[in-house]
Amino acid sequence: MWTVVLSYFLLITTVSSEVYFEEKFPDSSWEQNWVYSEHSGKEFGKFTWTAGKFYNDLDKDKGIQTSQDARFYAISRKFPSFSNKDKPLVVQFSVKHEQNIDCGGGYVKLFDCTLDQKNLHGESPYEIMFGPDICGPGTKKVHVIFSYKEKNILINKDIRCKDDVYTHIYTLIVKPDNTYEVLIDNEKVEDGNLESDFDFLPPKKIKDPAAKKPDDWEDNPTIDDPDDTKPEDWDKPATIPDPEASKPADWDTEMDGEWEPPQIDNPEYKGEWKPKQIDNPNYKGPWIHPEIDNPEYTPDSDLYYRKEICAIGLDLWQVKSGTIFGNLLVTDDPEEAKTAAEIVKEMQAGEKKMKEAQDAEENKKAEESMASTTKTDDEDEDEDEEEEEENAVPETGEEHDEL
C-alpha cells in the first residue's frame, strides 16, 4: 500500500507543472516591475492601468493600455531564467483592441537575459515573437517567429487574428517533439511541425545540378497531324465592306476624299487555320528533375529549444492607441494555460453587454439631440413667419389719381 502511495507521490512530483511568469496587473504597482525603454531616436508612448471603456469586472479585467496615438511602445519585465529543454513552452496573454485598431501590433516578445531593458527597440534580439498584428484590411495575422542562429524565422502559414473590439486570449504551445499549436480563446486555429512550417533548415532534397532534360524528350501529349491540310477556301478576310452601305447624297469627293463603305465582320471568316491534333506517339510525360540529398542539410531535433528565457516585453507601434494587454502567462503546462484562458468567454459576454448598453444610450442621446435641433428649427421658422405677418403693410383698397 505504501509503495503505491509513494509511487503516486513521485509521479505527481515528477509531472508537476511550473509557471515561469504570470502577470494579471492586479494593482497600480505594476509600474515598479516593468521597465520603459529609453532608446534614443524613438518617440515612445506610455501605458495606463485600466479595464477600458467596457468590461466584465472592473477590478479583475484591468491591464495596461496604450494611451497615445502614433507612438512606439517598448516596455519589459524580467523574471528568473529558465530553459524549455525537454519540456513544453506555453506563452499566453490577452489582447483587447477596444479602439477598433486600424494599424498596430498586439504581440509580445520573449528575451534572453542579455536584454538591456532601457534600450529595448525594434532591432533588439528576441527568442520568440507571438501575437496579432493588424494594419488595414490586408494585414490581420498572428505572428509566430522564432530566433534561430541569429535570424528571425517566420511561420510559412497565414493565421488570421481577431479584429473586433473585445478581449481575446492568444496561446502558443511549443513542444519538445518539434511541433507547435496556436490557439485563440482556447480554440486551436493552427498546428504543425516546426521544420515543415518554418524555414529553420535548408531543404532535405535539391535538384541534381548534373541532371538535365534529354534533347529528344517529348513532353507534349499531342502534335500536329502531318496529314491534315488547310482547305482551299479557308483564307477569308476578317472584315469586308458593308454591302448595304451607300455613299451619302451630300458626299463631296473633292472635300471629303474618295468614299469607302464601312467595314463589317466577315461571316465567312474562320480565323487562323491550325492542323488538328493527334496523340504524340513519342510522348514520355512531363520531365521531372531528379533530386539528390542536400549536402547542406543537417537535421536538428532541438528547433523548439530555447536555452535561456528571462524577460517578456511589448515592443510595437500603433497608429490608434487603446489596446489593453493582460493575463500574461509563461508556463510548461498547456492545461494550466487552458484553465487560465477559460475566463475569456465570461469577459467577452460582459464586455458586449456593457458596450451594447453604452451604444444604445449614445444612440438615444443622438436621436434626442436631433429631435431637439429639428424642433428648434421648426420654432425658428414659425417665429419668422409671425414676424413677417406683423411687419406686412396692410392693403387699404383705396385708389389714387395720378398726378
Side-chain angles (χ1 to χ4, degrees), residues 47 50-54 61 64-67 73 93-108 130-136 139-143 160-170 184-185 314 316-326 344 347-348 351 355:
F47 288 90
T50 178
K53 298 177 182 178
F54 45 90
D61 294 353
I64 55 174
Q65 182 181 47
T66 57
S67 63
Y73 289 87
F93 64 102
S94 65
V95 181
K96 179 187 178 190
H97 293 309
E98 74 169 23
Q99 78 277 39
N100 194 16
I101 191 169
D102 51 357
C103 188
Y107 40 79
V108 300
F130 170 64
D133 190 15
I134 295 175
C135 197
T139 301
K140 295 182 179 181
K141 64 191 298 183
V142 178
H143 283 299
R160 188 173 178 85
C161 67
K162 300 294 184 180
D163 60 355
D164 57 45
V165 298
Y166 303 108
T167 295
H168 295 283
I169 293 182
Y170 289 80
I184 303 178
D185 299 337
L314 301 170
L316 41 89
W317 158 266
Q318 289 195 341
V319 175
K320 186 192 294 183
S321 64
T323 300
I324 300 175
F325 297 89
V344 70
M347 291 178 70
Q348 291 170 354
E351 290 168 359
K355 187 175 187 305

Side-chain angles (χ1 to χ4, degrees), residues 39 42 44 72 74 109 119-126 152 315:
H39 178 73
K42 300 287 187 181
F44 290 112
F72 291 96
K109 292 181 179 180
N119 194 40
L120 173 61
H121 58 92
E123 301 302 317
S124 298
Y126 57 84
N152 294 331
D315 172 32

Side-chain angles (χ1 to χ4, degrees), residues 75-108:
I75 193 171
S76 62
R77 179 176 176 179
K78 286 193 172 182
F79 47 83
S81 173
F82 75 92
S83 166
N84 68 325
K85 183 67 174 176
D86 299 327
K87 294 184 292 184
L89 171 61
V90 185
V91 184
Q92 181 169 282
F93 64 102
S94 65
V95 181
K96 179 187 178 190
H97 293 309
E98 74 169 23
Q99 78 277 39
N100 194 16
I101 191 169
D102 51 357
C103 188
Y107 40 79
V108 300

Side-chain angles (χ1 to χ4, degrees), residues 325-380:
F325 297 89
N327 300 292
L328 282 76
L329 176 66
V330 182
T331 180
D332 62 5
D333 185 6
E335 288 301 317
E336 176 92 16
K338 180 180 179 181
T339 300
E342 289 175 352
I343 61 171
V344 70
K345 299 300 181 184
E346 183 179 346
M347 291 178 70
Q348 291 170 354
E351 290 168 359
K352 290 177 182 178
K353 182 178 180 180
M354 180 176 286
K355 187 175 187 305
E356 288 171 0
Q358 292 174 351
D359 290 346
E361 183 64 24
E362 289 180 6
N363 291 336
K364 180 181 178 182
K365 289 180 179 179
E367 291 173 359
E368 291 175 349
S369 177
M370 185 177 295
S372 177
T373 301
T374 302
K375 181 179 180 181
T376 301
D377 291 342
D378 291 342
E379 291 175 350
D380 290 343

Side-chain angles (χ1 to χ4, degrees), residues 6-22:
L6 180 60
S7 299
Y8 180 78
F9 175 79
L10 291 175
L11 177 64
I12 295 297
T13 304
T14 302
V15 301
S16 63
S17 63
E18 186 169 357
V19 174
Y20 305 115
F21 173 77
E22 187 172 22

